[in-house]
Amino acid sequence: ERPLRFIAHTLGVAEGLTWETHYEFLKACTVMGLPTPPMVARCDTIMECMRHGRALERSRDDLAFEIDGAVIKVNAFAL
């Protein structure tokens, strides 16, 4: 038996919604009570991204689920 859980991590098709960034979308999901990845961070520089990635790598064995890497996203849906 495999316990399955849902985690909102990205936006599919959503007509009429006004989120301009991925981070806004994730914060809205949290407000709506939807689970989101606990390790999400908004970084302003590539160095912040690299530091967060290294921290994630160090803590990946402590997560409640398996991951095979990290994703860095540009935080603007318009792009």
Side-chain angles (χ1 to χ4, degrees):
E1 183 175 313
R2 253 176 46 178
L4 299 177
R5 294 183 301 154
F6 169 80
I7 296 177
H9 62 85
T10 194
L11 177 67
V13 176
E15 295 178 8
L17 300 176
T18 60
W19 301 303
E20 294 184 15
T21 69
H22 185 251
Y23 195 71
E24 286 177 3
F25 162 74
L26 289 175
K27 291 301 170 189
C29 287
T30 300
V31 169
M32 291 185 278
L34 297 172
T36 57
M39 70 294 259
V40 169
R42 184 183 171 278
C43 301
D44 292 320
T45 67
I46 191 63
M47 289 309 295
E48 286 180 34
C49 290
M50 298 300 289
R51 281 192 292 273
H52 183 65
R54 283 191 293 273
L56 178 59
E57 185 176 25
R58 285 190 300 272
S59 65
R60 71 188 291 176
D61 291 334
D62 298 326
L63 296 173
F65 48 88
E66 293 183 16
I67 62 170
D68 59 2
V71 176
I72 297 173
K73 293 185 176 194
V74 174
N75 192 36
F77 287 138
L79 297 176

